[in-house]
Amino acid sequence: MNGGETLDFEIRPNPAPVSAAERSALLTNPGFGRIFTDHMVTVRYAEGKGWYDARVEARAPIPMDPATAVLHYAQEIFEGLKAYRAADGGVTLFRPDANADRFQQSAARMAMAPVPQQLFLDALSELIRVDRDWVPSDPEGSLYLRPFQYASEVFLGVKPSSEYLFLVIASPVGSYFKGGVKPVSVWVSRDYTRAAPGGTGAAKCGGNYAASLVAQAEAIEHGCDQVVFLDAVEQHYVDELGGMNVFYVFDDGSLLTPPLTGTILPGITRESVLRLAADQGMTVREEPYSYEQWQADARSGRLREAFACGTAAVITPIGVVRDRDGEFTIADGTAGKVTMDLRESLVGIQRGTAADPHGWVHRVL
C-alpha cells in the first residue's frame, strides 16, 4: 500500500542487536538521550507518489548527499514523547495523537508533506513492538521517542523539497532530575528573542532550538539553568523558556500562562496542565504577562509559584529569576504546593497510577 493513511511495515531485524546482559546494564543508569535502541523506523515520501517504503530496520547512520536540501534550507521538524512500562508489563503512550497533530501543523508551516496521523501512530507502535525490551521497568524510567522528518531531495534551488524522509528513533531515559525535583534558576534574555510574529515559533523545528542556544549559553554563564525569552516586538511580555512553556500561580489560586499567538510552541504538557487545573477547580487564564509585572508580583507576594513544563522534565518549579539588572526569588525559592500537586497528577496519569478521565493514555502492548 503506497501513499495512504496506513502502510505495511517491513520488519528487518538488526543482525547484531545489543545483548540482553549489556542492555540490562545500560538500563541501570541510562541518563537522557545518550543510549539508543537497536532499531529505527524509516518511511519515504516522493511528490506524486506519497508515503511509501515503511520499514523498521537496524539503527544506523543515514547516507546523505552533500546537496541534500535539509543541509541548505533547514526543512526539518521533530516531536518528542515517552512510552511507559505498565504495571502488567505492557507499554503505553501519553497523548500520541496530539503529537501527530502538532507534527502535521509543523509540517504545514515549514511547507513540508504532512505525515498522516495513522501512519505516525503506527510508526511509534511498530518500533515499540520490535524494541519493547528497551522500555525501562524502573518506575522513574521511560522510552523517549523522537519522530522527525527532513527534506531529502538532492538540489540547490530555493523551493519546498519534493522528497522527504520520516524517521523514529528511541532512547531509554531515567529520571530527568537527580536527587528529586528542585526549583531551577532562569535568566531573562535581553539581547536575543526566540521567535517573532509570522515566524516559526509555533512549529517544532530545529531552527528554533538552534537560535536559542546562544541565549541558553548566556544563561549558564550567569549561573542559571534555563533562559526565558521575551516577545520580539516590545521585549516586554514573557514568551517561553528555551525548551519549555511557563506558568504562574497567584495568591487567589488562579493559574496563568502566556497565550498562543504564533510565537510560542503549543506544548502538549502545557495543554494538559490547563485541563488538569480546570478539573481541580482552578481558574485558568491565557493572558499576556509582562516581565515587569512578574517582578512586581513576586516582590509583593501576589505571585506564589512559577513553573515550566515540557515532555522531558514534565513540570519544573522556578525559584530564582535573574537578568542583567539583578535577581528576585519567587516565594522562598522552594517548590510550591500547586506546582507539585499538578506534577504528581500528571505523572500519575502518564504512568498509569492515577485515573485518566480524558483518555490520554494509549495502550500499545
Side-chain angles (χ1 to χ4, degrees), residues 2-3 7 43-45 49-52 113-116 119 149 166:
N2 291 336
L7 294 174
V43 190
R44 298 185 179 278
Y45 175 90
K49 185 175 184 178
W51 293 99
Y52 69 100
V115 174
L119 178 56
Q149 177 185 342
F166 169 55

Side-chain angles (χ1 to χ4, degrees), residues 199-214:
T200 61
K204 199 166 178 67
C205 59
N208 290 342
Y209 293 81
S212 75
L213 296 179
V214 65

Side-chain angles (χ1 to χ4, degrees), residues 109-195:
R109 178 60 186 86
M110 301 299 288
M112 300 170 71
V115 174
Q117 184 186 81
Q118 193 57 53
L119 178 56
F120 182 96
L121 298 176
D122 288 347
L124 300 176
S125 297
E126 292 292 340
L127 182 58
I128 290 170
R129 288 191 183 99
V130 173
D131 279 341
R132 64 179 300 166
D133 291 337
W134 284 94
V135 182
S137 56
D138 186 307
E140 295 297 317
S142 58
L143 185 67
Y144 183 83
L145 296 156
R146 172 53 60 87
F148 63 104
Q149 177 185 342
Y150 69 85
S152 57
E153 184 179 0
V154 177
F155 80 112
L156 293 178
V158 182
K159 71 174 184 64
S161 177
S162 63
E163 297 176 7
Y164 296 95
L165 187 61
F166 169 55
L167 302 97
V168 185
I169 57 176
S171 173
V173 298
S175 173
Y176 197 78
F177 301 99
K178 297 302 179 184
V181 181
K182 298 177 182 177
V184 297
S185 57
V186 297
W187 171 260
V188 179
S189 178
R190 298 289 193 165
D191 299 317
Y192 305 100
T193 56
R194 178 184 174 276

Side-chain angles (χ1 to χ4, degrees), residues 40 42 44 57-64 150 165 167 169:
M40 65 182 183
T42 59
R44 298 185 179 278
E57 57 188 337
R59 183 180 179 276
I62 306 167
M64 187 175 290
Y150 69 85
L165 187 61
L167 302 97
I169 57 176

Side-chain angles (χ1 to χ4, degrees), residues 56-76:
V56 179
E57 57 188 337
R59 183 180 179 276
I62 306 167
M64 187 175 290
D65 189 282
T68 300
V70 67
L71 298 177
H72 303 272
Y73 309 117
Q75 270 190 297
E76 180 271 346

Side-chain angles (χ1 to χ4, degrees), residues 71-95:
L71 298 177
H72 303 272
Y73 309 117
Q75 270 190 297
E76 180 271 346
I77 57 175
F78 68 96
E79 275 297 325
L81 67 162
K82 292 177 180 178
Y84 303 92
R85 180 73 67 182
D88 62 2
V91 180
T92 62
L93 288 169
F94 181 73
R95 304 191 68 185

